Amino acid sequence: MTMHDKEINVKWRTSSVLIDFLRYYKCKEKGRELSQTGQRERKSEKEGCRQSQTGLTDTQFTYILNGEVCVQSLFHISKNGWDKHQTKAYWWFLNVCTTGNVHMSRWFVGSHTRPSTPETKTKYSVRWFTRQLSSDSNPQTPIFCNSDSGSASCGNIKHLTRAVANGAEIHVTNVNGKRAGALEFSNIAYNKAETKVAGTHLWHVSQSIVGNHIEFQQNAYWWFNLWSTDGTRDMSRWSVGEHTDRGHSNDKVSMKWFADTCWTLAYEHDKDGQAIDGSLEFLRSAILVGKRVRLVYSDNTYGIEADQLVIRNGHVTAQVLGHVSKANLQKFQNNAYWYWQNVATTGNVQTIRYNLGAHTNRGSSNGRQATKWFIDSRPWEHAYSNSETGTTTHGSKASLIQGVKAGKMLRFSIKSVNQPNNDYIAVFNADNADLSPSDNDLGAQHIRSIGLTRDGLYNVAFGSKPFGIS
């Protein structure tokens, strides 16, 4: 795969509108600044302290406690400096609050064990960024609300199902007195016959309230949750790093559903890869200028964002990893497993299944399906390109770094120098980014990818022994 080639060309793109990252500076807190420009959060820290290194990271879960905000930022793998991974890598989970409290919890990759320094509790100065979810005149208005009994309390559920079918990114909030939670769904599905919508959120690690802020629990587990418009919430818990069931339960909660409607259909094809609407060339071009991509399939009832995109000899494959097995629309399976997919514009779909927290294969399959491909309609800027030797070939590092410091979302594409005809290009989100101590260079980390091999002329596939890439 391109990611493994030693020499690659890289293009960096930033969104000029989408501002939802958290940026932090590794120094003690001497002040706090909160900037709210929308709904989804990022943050940074800088003011009043001597910085040793600047960090930028996305957030996966938001919790409000008595007027303070805490967020989980989970997609970090340990590094030796700003530009190299450690040999014995571990997860580096981050919980950051507007109180200045920061909790870092560390767990070895593939094991429920911890390094010699299992956690750090400190204080940082933080700057927070949010973004507007949609282009609607009043973006803070939910598209639908339900009570804990499932009765509608605002909006129209048909508007929500239409948004899902049209590629919208869906968020949900729950308010309980002075406490509230907000999240973006990893995948979203609905039942046409029952007009019922259910969203899965996978990126949450167990946490506890400590005084006026939040910290991770010591014996951490993944807390998967499945929210439905009838008020039910199904919760499945699995230890970090091992296939140990930590409990499966459900409750009833009120919900407010929000839709980011800034998505446009780029291409649609049938199960044999024959075009129905849009243009494959338009989809390719959009990907190469930095656009994020969402897929809708299963008879227009299932939506998910691509974790990685590969363009190979004119066709596109989306790697989508945000699935955990379900017993039905609203409930996880008891003995749950990951299932990961490669979905291609040729119509091919490859699925592999592995136990949560273990390398135990639960089966694989290959099929074909009709798919709609949506691109985000926000503008992106080609900020910088470098050759395999680090030579600037477009833009400037200064403009790229300036964008990072402004909290902008970052995407990058890579191409091996062994592929001069552009027949294999991979495109990724930056889950986090660090500046060098001199502030003159930048390194971005992408976590959610599984290694790929070439499959035929157009497709890519998981290898026989899948492994994660960072």
Side-chain angles (χ1 to χ4, degrees):
M1 183 194 166
T2 309
M3 283 292 286
H4 291 167
D5 294 324
K6 293 183 179 179
E7 294 187 340
I8 56 175
N9 295 311
V10 185
K11 290 184 178 180
W12 304 81
R13 299 183 186 274
T14 60
S15 167
S16 59
V17 174
L18 185 60
I19 307 176
D20 60 353
F21 270 106
L22 152 71
R23 202 170 73 245
Y24 59 94
Y25 291 74
K26 296 181 178 176
C27 51
K28 299 297 182 181
E29 181 186 36
K30 292 187 180 178
R32 187 177 71 208
E33 177 179 342
L34 178 61
S35 171
Q36 294 185 330
T37 58
Q39 293 177 352
R40 183 179 165 187
E41 292 176 325
R42 304 183 181 184
K43 61 192 178 194
S44 84
E45 347 172 353
K46 167 174 103 168
E47 309 302 333
C49 62
R50 183 178 179 183
Q51 65 194 66
S52 59
Q53 191 172 332
T54 306
L56 170 77
T57 182
D58 205 351
T59 61
Q60 283 73 55
F61 179 78
T62 303
Y63 192 83
I64 299 174
L65 175 65
N66 298 324
E68 300 289 354
V69 178
C70 295
V71 293
Q72 289 193 5
S73 178
L74 305 178
F75 298 133
H76 310 262
I77 297 295
S78 57
K79 293 184 286 187
N80 182 16
W82 63 276
D83 60 346
K84 294 182 178 65
H85 288 102
Q86 290 186 348
T87 302
K88 192 172 183 181
Y90 53 80
W91 287 101
W92 186 66
F93 301 139
L94 196 63
N95 209 325
V96 185
C97 300
T98 52
T99 59
N101 293 84
V102 176
H103 185 204
M104 306 170 206
S105 181
R106 302 174 180 89
W107 295 86
F108 282 121
V109 174
S111 172
H112 194 64
T113 59
R114 311 183 75 176
S116 56
T117 305
E119 64 179 348
T120 300
K121 298 179 183 181
T122 186
K123 288 251 186 175
Y124 280 173
S125 175
V126 182
R127 182 176 297 169
W128 301 69
F129 296 83
T130 63
R131 70 173 165 96
Q132 181 173 301
L133 275 185
S134 74
S135 58
D136 298 341
S137 58
N138 189 359
Q140 295 184 1
T141 301
I143 194 170
F144 181 72
C145 310
N146 61 265
S147 67
D148 55 6
S149 65
S151 60
S153 55
C154 81
N156 188 322
I157 195 168
K158 290 184 178 179
H159 295 165
L160 177 58
T161 59
R162 188 180 303 122
V164 173
N166 289 329
E169 175 187 300
I170 307 298
H171 297 237
V172 74
T173 64
N174 166 252
V175 179
N176 183 9
K178 293 184 178 181
R179 301 179 184 181
L183 54 90
E184 174 191 340
F185 289 120
S186 308
N187 64 69
I188 187 80
Y190 71 91
N191 183 302
K192 286 185 175 179
E194 299 179 7
T195 319
K196 191 178 294 182
V197 180
T200 301
H201 178 67
L202 301 177
W203 311 124
H204 186 124
V205 172
S206 57
Q207 61 183 26
S208 300
I209 297 173
V210 179
N212 63 348
H213 65 281
I214 301 292
E215 295 181 0
F216 293 111
Q217 293 183 359
Q218 293 298 307
N219 188 13
Y221 55 82
W222 291 104
W223 187 63
F224 304 139
N225 44 98
L226 181 51
W227 305 63
S228 302
T229 49
D230 67 355
T232 61
R233 181 176 60 176
D234 194 60
M235 295 164 284
S236 182
R237 304 165 183 85
W238 294 85
S239 287
V240 171
E242 64 182 12
H243 190 65
T244 300
D245 188 349
R246 301 286 292 277
H248 189 178
S249 61
N250 60 76
D251 62 4
K252 303 279 283 185
V253 295
S254 61
M255 307 171 195
K256 292 183 178 180
W257 301 70
F258 297 84
D260 178 354
T261 56
C262 294
W263 296 84
T264 301
L265 179 67
Y267 185 54
E268 179 184 3
H269 59 80
D270 64 17
K271 66 182 180 62
D272 296 314
Q274 298 300 308
I276 297 174
D277 195 3
S279 160
L280 179 56
E281 171 59 29
F282 179 52
L283 174 63
R284 286 196 306 266
S285 299
I287 292 170
L288 291 176
V289 297
K291 300 288 188 178
R292 297 154 61 213
V293 172
R294 289 185 62 83
L295 290 74
V296 174
Y297 47 91
S298 295
D299 194 24
N300 291 335
T301 64
Y302 191 90
I304 191 168
E305 185 171 343
D307 294 298
Q308 177 188 170
L309 293 158
V310 173
I311 299 174
R312 182 163 181 245
N313 293 326
H315 275 280
V316 178
T317 297
Q319 187 174 99
V320 285
L321 307 180
H323 318 269
V324 165
S325 59
K326 297 190 289 186
N328 55 50
L329 179 73
Q330 299 172 268
K331 184 179 180 180
F332 292 109
Q333 284 189 353
N334 286 329
N335 187 16
Y337 55 82
W338 292 108
Y339 71 93
W340 301 320
Q341 293 184 313
N342 289 315
V343 181
T345 53
T346 60
N348 283 18
V349 180
Q350 179 195 21
T351 305
I352 61 174
R353 304 166 182 86
Y354 278 84
N355 270 349
L356 300 169
H359 204 261
T360 303
N361 193 317
R362 297 284 290 271
S364 61
S365 59
N366 288 279
R368 306 191 70 83
Q369 69 185 14
T371 305
K372 290 182 177 180
W373 301 71
F374 293 84
I375 59 171
D376 71 300
S377 55
R378 295 177 171 90
W380 288 76
E381 174 189 356
H382 183 186
Y384 182 66
S385 294
N386 61 269
S387 71
E388 67 279 5
T389 60
T391 302
T392 297
T393 58
H394 175 88
S396 69
K397 289 182 186 178
S399 63
L400 174 64
I401 291 169
Q402 182 180 9
V404 169
K405 288 185 174 183
K408 294 182 179 180
M409 176 175 271
L410 183 65
R411 287 174 64 78
F412 58 95
S413 62
I414 63 172
K415 180 184 71 172
S416 169
V417 294
N418 298 324
Q419 306 295 331
N421 297 320
N422 292 338
D423 71 341
Y424 195 118
I425 300 173
V427 184
F428 307 87
N429 275 333
D431 290 317
N432 67 77
D434 277 329
L435 297 183
S436 64
S438 66
D439 256 15
N440 293 326
D441 285 289
L442 179 142
Q445 194 176 60
H446 172 79
I447 306 299
R448 289 166 289 177
S449 286
I450 304 296
L452 294 171
T453 61
R454 291 168 174 80
D455 180 24
L457 183 61
Y458 301 111
N459 298 319
V460 291
F462 299 113
S464 58
K465 295 182 178 180
F467 53 88
I469 292 174
S470 175

